[in-house]
Amino acid sequence: MTNSIPLIDLKAQYESIKPEISDAILRVIDSCAFIQGEEAKQFADSFACELGSGHVVACSNGTSALSIALETLGVGAGDEVVVPSHTFIATAEAVMHVNAKPVFADVDRDTALIGLNQIKATITEKTKAVVVVHLYGNVCELKEIEAFCKERGLLLIEDTAQAHFAKYDGRYAGTFGDASTFSFYPGKNLGAYGDAGAIWFSSKAKADLAAKLVDHGRKEKYSHDIVGYNHRMDEIQAAVLSVKLKYIHQWSEQRRIAAQKYNHLFSETGFRTIKINESVEPVYHLFVVECSNRDEVLAHLKSKSIGAAIHYPIPVHRQEAFANYKMAQVQLPNTEEICSRILSLPLFPEITDKQIRIVYDHFCEAAKL
Ligand SMILES: *Cc1c(COP(=O)(O)O)cnc(C)c1O
């Protein structure tokens, strides 16, 4: 067990900040304000401040963040929303939650991200919004996409669940569109100790509306002027996140250094890794490499107690959940090819050079180009 290398090591991170985390959690328990206290509001304000612009609403998870963002911006029945199929299912699920129709776009073969050409190919007169996903901590071509959306009057939403504080053109991902969403699922780059999420808006009025939707459409304690949801972030999660927010830039840098080491090792081998877009400072949520015998390599790494995984093995448009919506007919050749070849290797801020070397060596023992 001691020689095992997990995909992510939440324990190592916890050990490094244990006293602060304990203080934060105990502070909430002592106050007995478990929801709707000051912690979630404070975290949302600090997070907005750190992002450098806009307004942030704390919420229950990255999926509710997406559906609240869509609803707040007026996306609903009859609208089409462009989403990549190469993403976690939540991106498309949220579109269904507001009764709109996800329209799946392919991704770029090199970056595995949705790009302007792929978006253009899916636009119809019903298209209301585009949701870009900054997958793996890389960032989509925001400049081109933002300009296109503005020109066509389309809403732009950034699913930033995997790219907290990644930069594009010197500016943080998640501050370009009309709204952006964050997940603080424990395994994300900024992770709570349970479910949590946030929604960013460029407009204060939209953020106020979203805050209302998240909390039962509440005007006063028992007076509600719109039909909302219970999608609040709880205070313990907010307190944990406020501690972790202080370290996120340091952790991102450690991720970049680890990824650089993998990249250096792989550079001589011909194995394909994910290309980072120009003008991007990535935050490497995952380190993804391709090979032709992926399942064999995964089994080999498992046998060596190395926690590799596939993100994601089935493209969203081919998920059984979407079977009734006739979406599987769409041709997404890059998505299909990428899904059949990718493998995520262990990556976390505390990973050591030695661990990286072991993972790389075992990968090379089994992998074929
Ligand atoms: C994790 C994730 C989500 C959903 O976040 P939850 O907090 O788990 O609901 C949405 N989109 C992407 C790209 C994700 O990685």
Side-chain angles (χ1 to χ4, degrees):
M1 247 342 255
T2 47
N3 287 325
S4 72
I5 305 174
L7 182 69
I8 49 165
D9 194 344
L10 294 180
K11 188 83 184 184
Q13 185 177 84
Y14 173 52
E15 293 295 346
S16 74
I17 52 173
K18 204 168 182 168
E20 277 183 280
I21 291 286
S22 302
D23 285 353
I25 291 176
L26 285 176
R27 182 173 74 231
V28 176
I29 298 174
D30 276 338
S31 77
C32 288
F34 297 104
I35 38 177
Q36 298 165 293
E38 290 304 310
E39 298 279 349
K41 268 187 240 124
Q42 264 168 24
F43 169 72
D45 290 347
S46 319
F47 194 63
C49 193
E50 208 54 48
L51 284 171
S53 71
H55 311 272
V56 170
V57 177
C59 68
S60 53
N61 56 63
T63 310
S64 63
L66 279 161
S67 60
I68 293 289
L70 289 162
E71 184 168 338
T72 301
L73 295 175
V75 178
D79 295 330
E80 291 183 357
V81 179
V82 178
V83 295
S85 177
H86 184 54
T87 178
F88 181 59
I89 192 168
T91 315
E93 249 178 345
V95 176
M96 309 286 280
H97 291 159
V98 299
N99 300 311
K101 181 184 170 197
V103 176
F104 293 102
D106 207 359
V107 289
D108 179 81
R109 182 64 187 89
D110 295 327
T111 62
L113 298 176
I114 188 170
L116 185 55
N117 290 337
Q118 291 83 20
I119 292 168
K120 277 183 176 166
T122 62
I123 299 292
T124 75
E125 68 281 0
K126 289 185 180 160
T127 311
K128 174 97 174 212
V130 175
V131 181
V132 296
V133 180
H134 305 310
L135 203 68
Y136 305 145
N138 190 1
V139 184
C140 299
E141 287 289 7
L142 281 171
K143 206 164 150 192
E144 301 177 356
I145 295 170
E146 190 186 25
F148 175 78
C149 287
K150 279 223 170 89
E151 182 195 313
R152 295 295 189 93
L154 301 171
L155 295 164
L156 174 60
I157 295 146
E158 298 172 69
D159 181 342
T160 320
Q162 302 192 3
H164 316 71
F165 301 105
K167 278 183 184 167
Y168 182 92
D169 255 351
R171 207 167 118 197
Y172 289 125
T175 64
F176 285 77
D178 298 281
S180 73
T181 62
F182 293 85
S183 165
F184 307 117
Y185 178 83
K188 298 286 157 80
N189 287 23
L190 182 58
Y193 286 171
D195 277 312
I199 323 155
W200 175 96
F201 291 93
S202 52
S203 144
K204 169 86 165 63
K206 296 286 186 218
D208 289 345
L209 174 56
K212 225 176 200 190
L213 283 171
V214 159
D215 187 24
H216 295 291
R218 198 186 299 272
K219 205 163 78 181
E220 287 160 38
K221 187 156 192 196
Y222 292 120
S223 145
H224 313 259
D225 58 355
I226 53 172
V227 176
Y229 306 85
N230 179 355
H231 283 332
R232 297 177 298 239
M233 182 190 286
D234 78 67
E235 295 285 290
I236 288 183
Q237 301 313 327
V240 167
L241 287 167
S242 290
V243 172
K244 288 194 168 195
L245 185 60
K246 295 189 284 183
Y247 298 95
I248 187 62
H249 299 296
Q250 175 193 323
W251 289 333
S252 297
E253 186 57 23
Q254 286 171 273
R255 285 175 180 276
R256 279 190 288 272
I257 291 168
Q260 205 173 13
K261 283 171 189 150
Y262 272 128
N263 274 322
H264 180 71
L265 290 169
F266 280 113
S267 64
E268 304 291 305
T269 61
F271 287 111
R272 200 165 176 157
T273 55
I274 298 295
K275 187 183 156 216
I276 302 303
N277 268 327
E278 262 171 56
S279 334
V280 168
E281 184 179 73
V283 290
Y284 289 99
H285 174 55
L286 294 165
F287 190 87
V288 174
V289 60
E290 294 186 23
C291 58
S292 59
N293 60 335
R294 186 263 315 280
D295 295 336
E296 246 171 82
V297 178
L298 187 61
H300 179 67
L301 293 175
K302 289 233 158 99
S303 78
K304 302 291 177 189
S305 304
I306 292 170
I310 305 165
H311 300 93
Y312 297 90
I314 306 170
V316 178
H317 72 286
R318 284 204 287 105
Q319 291 287 353
E320 213 179 316
F322 291 89
N324 289 337
Y325 302 94
K326 298 199 173 62
M327 292 166 185
Q329 291 134 339
V330 63
Q331 297 294 311
L332 306 173
N334 291 343
T335 296
E336 298 289 351
E337 196 181 340
I338 289 168
C339 282
S340 71
R341 293 175 53 88
I342 45 171
L343 197 58
S344 309
L345 301 180
L347 181 73
F348 44 91
E350 301 80 8
I351 195 168
T352 64
D353 289 4
K354 196 172 156 211
Q355 286 175 314
I356 290 171
R357 183 75 213 193
I358 292 169
V359 173
Y360 168 80
D361 286 342
H362 286 313
F363 176 91
C364 291
E365 279 161 20
K368 299 198 183 90
L369 279 175

